[in-house]
């Protein structure tokens, strides 16, 4: 398996392969962001889009797509992993975590943060992740 960021100049060519995977994660918040926003922000450098690939015979398959960005808080920076989609997390997480840790340190981040499903804890806890809070949401649509 390989874990690489997609360079900005290759985003348009790769998007046809990436979007069908990342849409599963982005689709959970359709009123906030969509895949067009992700692509535009990545082209502007606000997001970095990463892919986990695996070679099978003569074909390279994308196993997962992840997005990162640096969030600047008043007292610290954080590496934010906003969207994660794909399969076989337990197989690629050992490759991804050291890269993200180094990326965070390089960008003077005090921590890595992200949203995810509760079931991910069984994989993330091995790498020092801890649940910090539970997010609640109440929609304010016209009732």
């Amino acid at each position: 398996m390989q874990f690489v960021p997609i360079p900005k100049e290759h985003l348009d060519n790769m998007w046809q392969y990436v979007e069908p995977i990342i849409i599963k994660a982005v689709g959970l918040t359709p009123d906030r962001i969509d895949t067009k926003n992700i692509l535009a922000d990545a082209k502007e450098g606000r997001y970095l889009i990463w892919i986990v690939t695996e070679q099978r015979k003569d074909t390279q398959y994308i196993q997962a797509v992840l997005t990162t960005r640096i969030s600047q808080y008043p007292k610290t920076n954080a590496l934010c992993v906003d969207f994660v989609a794909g399969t076989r997390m337990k197989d690629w997480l050992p490759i991804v975590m050291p890269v993200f840790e180094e990326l965070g340190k390089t960008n003077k981040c005090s921590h890595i943060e992200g949203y995810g499903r509760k079931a991910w804890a069984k994989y993330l806890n091995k790498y020092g992740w801890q649940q910090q809070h539970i997010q609640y949401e109440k929609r304010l649509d016209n009732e």
Side-chain angles (χ1 to χ4, degrees):
M1 283 191 179
Q2 290 184 302
F3 179 57
V4 294
I6 301 174
K8 284 193 249 185
E9 60 272 15
H10 295 285
L11 284 168
D12 285 328
N13 292 334
M14 290 295 298
W15 196 244
Q16 64 182 319
Y17 308 107
V18 170
E19 186 181 32
I21 299 168
I22 198 71
I23 199 168
K24 295 170 187 168
V26 176
L28 297 173
T29 56
D31 59 334
R32 296 180 194 158
I33 193 166
D34 61 29
T35 57
K36 290 181 182 107
N37 304 129
I38 298 287
L39 179 59
D41 285 350
K43 287 179 177 181
E44 293 293 321
R46 288 186 289 273
Y47 272 112
L48 194 52
I49 300 175
W50 300 79
I51 55 173
V52 177
T53 63
E54 180 179 42
Q55 185 80 28
R56 287 190 233 141
K57 296 187 180 179
D58 296 332
T59 306
Q60 194 81 358
Y61 290 91
I62 298 176
Q63 292 296 322
V65 178
L66 302 89
T67 66
T68 58
R69 64 182 170 85
I70 304 299
S71 183
Q72 296 178 334
Y73 294 105
K75 293 184 176 183
T76 191
N77 292 341
L79 177 64
C80 298
V81 184
D82 290 325
F83 299 102
V84 177
T87 60
R88 300 178 42 211
M89 178 186 271
K90 69 178 179 179
D91 295 331
W92 50 257
L93 201 55
I95 299 165
V96 168
M97 283 309 304
V99 174
F100 279 178
E101 289 170 7
E102 187 59 36
L103 180 64
K105 290 175 184 176
T106 299
N107 285 281
K108 298 179 175 51
C109 296
S110 62
H111 63 283
I112 303 170
E113 62 185 40
Y115 295 101
R117 297 191 319 241
K118 190 173 184 175
W120 291 0
K122 65 184 168 188
Y123 304 124
L124 294 175
N125 289 345
K126 295 178 191 174
Y127 298 94
W129 286 79
Q130 297 175 357
Q131 182 178 320
Q132 295 299 313
H133 64 273
I134 297 171
Q135 179 179 338
Y136 294 94
E137 181 175 306
K138 180 188 182 322
R139 302 298 308 160
L140 297 175
D141 297 337
N142 295 337
E143 296 179 17

